[in-house]
Amino acid sequence: MRILEEQEKRDALHDILLELSKSQDILREPKERISFFKRLETIYYN
């Protein structure tokens, strides 16, 4: 179970990094930036 959870976290982080590698223009908008930070928090603080 724990391995599956860690893999899901890795996949989520991978998705975030792929999105940011395409374009960082998304981070210019405060709402979008907050969304990315919330996604990162769910990975690291869960």
Side-chain angles (χ1 to χ4, degrees):
M1 184 72 164
R2 184 170 174 92
I3 294 172
L4 181 61
E5 184 178 308
E6 289 178 11
Q7 185 62 42
E8 288 174 351
K9 287 182 178 185
R10 275 192 215 101
D11 291 343
L13 182 60
H14 183 260
D15 292 342
I16 290 171
L17 293 175
L18 277 178
E19 286 180 49
L20 290 175
S21 70
K22 292 176 186 175
S23 174
Q24 292 183 1
D25 292 337
I26 298 168
L27 297 178
R28 289 187 182 160
E29 296 294 322
K31 286 184 180 182
E32 294 296 323
R33 189 169 46 243
I34 290 169
S35 172
F36 272 98
F37 284 125
K38 285 182 179 181
R39 288 169 61 188
L40 288 170
E41 284 177 351
T42 60
I43 293 169
Y44 287 106
Y45 294 123
N46 220 356

